Amino acid sequence: MRTTTSAASRETASMRIMVAIKRVIDYAVKIRVKPDKSGVETSNVKMSMNPFCEIALEEALRIKESGRASEVVAVSVGPAQCVDTLRTGLAMGADRAIHVEFPGTLYPLSIAKILKALVDAEKPGLLLLGKQAIDDDCNQTGQMIAGLLKWPQGTFASKVVLDEENKVATVDREVDGGLETLCLDLPAVITTDLRLNQPRYASLPNIMKAKSKVIKKLTPQDLNIEIRSDLEVVQVTDPPKRKAGVILSSVDELIDKLKNEARVL
Amino acid sequence: MQKLFAVRSLTSSIFKKHYRHAAAAAFSTSLLFDDTQKQFKESVAQFAQENIAPHASKIDRSNYFPEDVNLWKLMGDFNLHGITAPEEYGGLGLGYLYHCIAMEEISRASGSVGLSYGAHSNLCINQLVRNGNAAQKQKYLPKLISGEHVGALAMSEPNAGSDVVSMKCKADRVDGGYVLNGNKMWCTNGPIAQTLVVYAKTDMTARSKGITAFIIEKDMPGFSTAQKLDKLGMRGSDTCELVFENCFVPEENVLGKEGKGVYVMMSGLDLERLVLAAGPLGIMQSCLDVVLPYIKQREQFGKPIGEFQFIQGKIADMYTSLQSSRSYVYSVARDCDSGAVNPKDCAGVILCAAERATQVALQAIQCLGGNGYVNEYPTGRLLRDAKLYEIGAGTSEIRRMIIGRELFKEQ
């Protein structure tokens, strides 16, 4: 499926895709807040790859399988156990992985800075991320790294079409008003939304093959990055319990409540 | 995050996406598995929960595998059938530990599918792998491993169950092969199998030394199956009687050597017991998957019944039964993978796991109370399925005899 006629297509046929993935609490787990309100309970809790990151990795694998990329590199920043998530990525089909180990709290700006250093070193033609992580729902990393790299960004992607001849990506974005279609020059940052694809299972032969794939270990110091936390978590609490509804007897009563209790009028 | 869940449940119903049991988080298997094995287990669990579990109830009620989806092919596509078979035939070239992991997770999704899967992948495929010559393996394994063909094994007869060596199915030597006459009973997958490993007596006077193993093909003239049995549990895992009436079997279909069938059979039984022992493990896990959320939701006397000590006692017993059986099964699996196959332990693991599973299933029904007695809940099926494992692959009594006899001999 690879066209080898023009120099441009030969270049994109050797395009590398980098996918940033995050290890989060599994979406099916019931979250409990720690008694000291400093955060949520993470010990003895099942952790998995962030679902949107899975979708990003799946898209990268599909692009590679269609002949438009030669290598998929999975990267993750976090504690030692991130290796498990990277192994899942390798079992899905990524060629190799990079783990930047840091045991403390990480915020999107720090991640973006680390990713920039990795992008500068690896020179991918495309950086894919999930639109947000299901633990903090920040929805910032993709946008921040696009800014740091000065790359175009297509966020909330529900469809990605790569044109290797002209080195552009056409991205359909899910926005409040509907669907917006952007044309991005490569290299670019794309963040993935739910409807982009359905990630594959890690097949059993691939799980076995992943054992011999390489996970490179780095630290933020190796990349000359100092992790600074400009935010401090003061308190984490459960949302207030839902109160029972009230049946009202008239529209006047409704308006009164909306005005004086809910204060939305 | 709530919006994500709402959207996810919508797409779940449309796309049948990831459906991981929340209960899976509760069970630490870090003692037993390395990272790759854990990944393998999670992958099979996800596959089984998404593709097999939704059909479990209907399979039980209708006594048939689903018509709209070919589970054999699906499992074949997921590389589940040839876990212990060489890669050149499409297998994974892994050992019994991985096979047990797959068996446990499939059984957890549906006991019937698990049993049929175990018969196909271990009793048939693995016996061919261990005893077949190159030509036989090349001829039969690829289609069995892909799921295009289904495999089965038959040793028991209407009058030869525990006393299987007293089998009466005859194989008379003729020019170019053998002619088989007789019946086999309780053959799992019998009605649907294309390839069957069948044991028959080539020498009726020589007791165990007169048994020969044969590879039978469904279309061989003289071979037929009588109607499907109507069983208490494992419904949908088709079982039937096999009938041989002057069935000609060519020379090249002898599995192993003439008169050496008993070695094929007995050594196969050890590994059969090991892999099938993972079946009751899956059923026990399934019981906990049902009970744990239930005791949180069900309230009596103003609180969830899971807060009462009697219920907590029950689930503690269920949990420890499962974890201890699991440890035994996987430790023995490891030993078998390194070549140390001990018949006492192979019998021991299924003896232990099967009896515990029946008790765990009974407790599961009890935890659900009146609801446990209603067929809308899966606990009745779990009990009926669990009970089989105390009987098939050698009854508990035979297993006890094997272990006791060996222990005494070793003195």
Side-chain angles (χ1 to χ4, degrees):
Chain A
M1 243 174 108
R2 292 185 195 196
T3 52
T4 48
T5 42
S6 71
S9 64
R10 232 182 293 131
E11 223 176 287
T12 38
S14 66
M15 177 173 80
R16 175 177 297 143
I17 304 181
M18 184 179 282
V19 184
I21 61 180
K22 187 178 182 185
R23 177 173 177 266
V24 298
I25 297 180
D26 187 88
Y27 83 90
V29 168
K30 206 144 183 213
I31 308 291
R32 285 178 307 167
V33 176
K34 282 199 255 200
D36 63 2
K37 297 193 184 174
S38 60
V40 300
E41 196 63 71
T42 50
S43 58
N44 282 325
V45 163
K46 183 161 197 265
M47 309 289 279
S48 309
M49 193 187 300
N50 182 40
F52 295 110
C53 300
E54 275 181 342
I55 294 174
L57 181 54
E58 173 65 27
E59 196 62 23
L61 294 170
R62 289 189 190 188
I63 294 173
K64 179 185 161 197
E65 280 160 9
S66 72
R68 292 185 177 84
S70 60
E71 196 187 28
V72 173
V73 185
V75 310
S76 193
V77 189
Q81 300 92 318
C82 283
V83 171
D84 295 337
T85 323
L86 285 170
R87 287 235 176 272
T88 307
L90 292 172
M92 278 172 72
D95 297 293
R96 60 186 168 90
I98 304 175
H99 173 213
V100 180
E101 187 164 346
F102 185 77
T105 324
L106 286 158
Y107 289 106
L109 188 55
S110 309
I111 305 277
K113 289 180 182 168
I114 293 175
L115 287 177
K116 176 173 187 307
L118 292 174
V119 165
D120 288 340
E122 297 283 339
K123 302 193 188 349
L126 188 59
L127 176 63
L128 288 171
L129 306 96
K131 70 173 180 181
Q132 66 200 60
I134 60 172
D135 50 7
D136 53 21
D137 286 318
C138 281
N139 193 343
Q140 297 165 11
T141 311
Q143 292 86 335
M144 283 175 171
I145 182 160
L148 290 174
L149 289 169
K150 298 195 183 0
W151 282 10
Q153 57 179 275
T155 54
F156 308 98
S158 66
K159 190 169 166 196
V160 173
V161 177
L162 237 56
D163 179 356
E164 63 258 50
E165 286 287 324
N166 302 306
K167 290 190 87 176
V168 291
T170 310
V171 176
D172 283 1
R173 305 179 58 224
E174 293 195 356
V175 296
D176 290 342
L179 285 177
E180 180 189 57
T181 307
L182 291 182
C183 192
L184 313 173
D185 288 331
L186 297 178
V189 174
I190 297 178
T191 75
T192 62
D193 209 324
L194 198 61
R195 271 162 281 270
L196 176 59
N197 62 45
Q198 194 187 337
R200 64 194 60 188
Y201 296 114
S203 77
L204 305 182
N206 278 341
I207 290 174
M208 304 313 297
K209 278 191 213 136
K211 276 200 290 199
S212 57
K213 290 186 185 171
V214 170
I215 300 183
K216 186 169 170 193
K217 279 224 189 330
L218 295 169
T219 61
Q221 288 97 291
D222 294 335
L223 302 166
N224 290 320
I225 294 184
E226 195 204 320
I227 306 280
R228 248 181 39 211
S229 185
D230 296 324
L231 300 170
E232 183 201 331
V233 173
V234 173
Q235 190 184 238
V236 175
T237 55
D238 278 309
K241 281 217 169 343
R242 261 186 89 140
K243 289 198 291 241
V246 178
I247 297 182
L248 305 172
S249 53
S250 70
V251 176
D252 286 333
E253 208 184 330
L254 172 65
I255 294 178
D256 175 58
K257 282 205 188 280
L258 286 174
K259 208 172 189 177
N260 299 316
E261 276 184 38
R263 297 184 198 283
V264 294
L265 287 181
Chain B
M1 192 111 109
Q2 251 148 353
K3 186 173 166 204
L4 167 66
F5 271 69
V7 172
R8 194 168 259 279
S9 59
L10 170 69
T11 51
S12 287
S13 54
I14 297 172
F15 296 118
K16 273 208 307 215
K17 216 192 164 316
H18 300 245
Y19 178 108
R20 277 165 229 160
H21 266 254
F27 296 93
S28 156
T29 44
S30 58
L31 320 156
L32 297 169
F33 305 123
D34 68 25
D35 288 331
T36 314
Q37 288 150 5
K38 262 188 253 172
Q39 253 189 321
F40 193 92
K41 190 169 203 279
E42 276 178 22
S43 202
V44 181
Q46 195 188 333
F47 170 83
Q49 289 304 315
E50 283 180 39
N51 295 285
I52 301 176
H55 299 282
S57 181
K58 184 139 182 259
I59 291 174
D60 179 63
R61 279 198 317 272
S62 66
N63 201 13
Y64 275 103
F65 267 28
E67 279 175 27
D68 50 339
V69 51
N70 185 341
L71 288 178
W72 292 108
K73 194 88 208 330
L74 223 62
M75 289 192 279
D77 288 340
F78 206 67
N79 303 97
L80 285 167
H81 297 311
I83 292 182
T84 51
E87 290 183 51
E88 64 191 283
Y89 305 111
L92 290 181
L94 298 172
Y96 297 107
L97 182 75
Y98 282 97
H99 202 177
C100 286
I101 290 175
M103 178 73 188
E104 181 187 332
E105 288 301 335
I106 295 173
S107 177
R108 176 187 181 188
S110 161
S112 307
V113 177
L115 184 64
S116 277
Y117 163 78
H120 167 81
S121 58
N122 175 271
L123 276 61
C124 184
I125 291 178
N126 198 44
Q127 281 295 65
L128 290 172
V129 167
R130 292 176 65 242
N131 301 294
N133 58 37
Q136 290 165 337
K137 288 196 257 204
Q138 188 55 53
K139 183 173 182 190
Y140 295 108
L141 284 179
K143 289 214 171 106
L144 286 168
I145 291 174
S146 74
E148 203 181 316
H149 279 184
V150 178
L153 179 144
M155 58 172 78
S156 307
E157 297 182 359
N159 289 316
S162 291
D163 187 10
V164 71
V165 164
S166 74
M167 62 175 76
K168 296 272 185 298
C169 185
K170 261 189 324 162
D172 294 313
R173 216 158 181 346
V174 295
D175 200 23
Y178 302 80
V179 169
L180 265 61
N181 276 290
N183 297 50
K184 291 294 182 188
M185 190 58 155
W186 303 299
C187 178
T188 303
N189 296 340
I192 52 169
Q194 278 82 12
T195 310
L196 304 93
V197 174
V198 174
Y199 297 91
K201 283 253 177 88
T202 34
D203 184 348
M204 293 302 289
T205 60
R207 280 282 297 172
S208 63
K209 304 251 188 310
I211 298 176
T212 306
F214 296 94
I215 304 175
I216 303 294
E217 288 175 36
K218 187 187 174 112
D219 298 325
M220 281 175 176
F223 167 66
S224 62
T225 61
Q227 75 208 39
K228 195 160 94 162
L229 301 178
D230 178 18
K231 307 192 300 292
L232 167 68
M234 296 301 191
R235 294 175 65 75
S237 169
D238 293 346
T239 319
C240 70
E241 188 175 340
L242 306 182
V243 181
F244 294 91
E245 283 169 318
N246 294 323
C247 174
F248 174 72
V249 179
E251 184 90 50
E252 62 260 23
N253 277 33
V254 171
L255 185 62
K257 292 206 168 16
E258 185 183 320
K260 300 280 191 243
V262 74
Y263 300 110
V264 175
M265 183 162 77
M266 293 306 180
S267 61
L269 272 170
D270 288 334
L271 299 163
E272 172 187 336
R273 285 171 186 143
L274 169 66
V275 175
L276 289 187
L281 294 183
I283 295 179
M284 284 193 268
Q285 177 69 64
S286 189
C287 288
L288 282 158
D289 290 343
V290 171
V291 168
L292 292 177
Y294 182 88
I295 60 177
K296 194 113 197 238
Q297 291 169 320
R298 172 81 180 173
E299 292 193 2
Q300 289 287 274
F301 307 108
K303 38 182 153 166
I305 60 173
E307 290 194 31
F308 299 123
Q309 278 190 325
F310 278 139
I311 295 289
Q312 289 180 354
K314 284 192 210 299
I315 56 176
D317 288 338
M318 290 164 76
Y319 179 73
T320 47
S321 292
L322 169 56
Q323 292 289 67
S324 55
S325 307
R326 214 180 231 156
S327 298
Y328 193 14
V329 170
Y330 287 110
S331 306
V332 175
R334 264 206 183 81
D335 270 355
C336 289
D337 279 340
S338 57
V341 179
N342 188 328
K344 293 200 301 297
D345 287 312
C346 292
V349 291
I350 193 171
L351 171 64
C352 176
E355 291 192 339
R356 300 259 179 89
T358 307
Q359 295 307 312
V360 167
L362 282 168
Q363 289 290 43
I365 293 178
Q366 195 66 17
C367 287
L368 265 61
N371 284 327
Y373 209 64
V374 168
N375 284 331
E376 237 177 85
Y377 287 81
T379 38
R381 163 171 57 90
L382 293 173
L383 174 65
R384 288 184 286 109
D385 287 348
K387 186 63 184 165
L388 176 283
Y389 283 113
E390 291 188 57
I391 300 169
T395 58
S396 294
E397 290 71 27
I398 290 293
R399 296 164 196 169
R400 287 194 159 86
M401 195 193 74
I402 291 172
I403 299 169
R405 185 178 59 184
E406 277 305 303
L407 282 169
F408 181 66
K409 256 204 291 190
E410 286 165 12
Q411 280 307 301

